[in-house]
Amino acid sequence: MRLATFNLLHGRSLSDGTVHADRIAAAIADLDADILGLQEVDRAQPRSGLLDLTALAADALGATAHRFAAAVVGTPGQTWEPWHSGADIGHPQYGIALVSRYPVQRWQITQLPASPMRSPVYVPDGGLLLLRDEPRVLLAAVVQTPAGPMTVATTHLSFVPGWNVRQLRAAVRALRALPAPRVLLGDLNMPAGPVRAFTGWRSLARAATFPSPAPRTQLDHVVADPRDAAKLGRVVQVRTPRVGVSDHRPLVVGLDRM
């Protein structure tokens, strides 16, 4: 079984700043993941050609199940508002997604509120800016694998130190209500040490993923709840391939789950 997480940067290439469906599909197909968590995912956004990036990823993997969970309506960095249940699906949306080659028995979405304060963030070519934090979301699925059910989730946590820890703890609490074994895939915006310290969950891969041209730090993680983690089997492969899109490398973990 291969699990992967990938912050897509809405499919934009660093080489030319553009978004092309074929380039995104090739990057996703290269991962050959059975279950894939995606972050910074666009739907109906002009900047990404109005593409449904979740459906595009599912097609690239030949996946049977997929779901997008919006965090905001509008365009990050421009005009947006927190997603709400009455939001028009035709409006530009931005969030996360899960894609699975296995059937999904149940989906669960947990809202993770944004930091109430603007925070300083370094933006390339823009210097240090005070930015409004976006709300975040946790998307979980109970997946029926050949070895039995397991819970897999994805999220993209805040860039605000401390607030992302609060969100991470809330995510772990939500996941413990779902069947074990449990795995969280995502851009957690913190290195592996704090993730382990604040959750007790075990990292399945230690590898730098950011920035993509020459990774120096690990922001993207595949972590497992130690309860019933033995059912996941051994880690037999870890990859951070260089693909044609995003400022993050994808993280791929192969398991020998029987």
Side-chain angles (χ1 to χ4, degrees), residues 147-160:
M150 65 181 291
T151 296
V152 183
T154 191
T155 193
H156 181 196
L157 300 183
S158 172
F159 56 80
V160 180

Side-chain angles (χ1 to χ4, degrees), residues 170-183:
V172 166
R173 286 195 300 271
L175 292 179
R176 283 187 172 146
L178 298 174
R182 307 175 188 94
V183 176

Side-chain angles (χ1 to χ4, degrees), residues 24-61:
I24 298 167
I28 297 296
D30 177 71
L31 306 181
D32 194 24
D34 298 302
I35 304 174
L36 171 64
L38 294 169
Q39 305 86 45
E40 297 199 18
V41 181
D42 279 1
R43 179 155 68 175
Q45 293 277 3
R47 68 181 181 182
S48 50
L50 305 180
L51 293 170
D52 183 340
L53 297 183
T54 306
L56 181 65
D59 287 344
L61 291 175

Side-chain angles (χ1 to χ4, degrees), residues 67 103-108 140-143 177-179:
R67 185 157 181 179
V104 172
Q105 297 177 340
R106 174 185 173 189
W107 296 99
Q108 177 174 293
V142 179
V143 179
L178 298 174

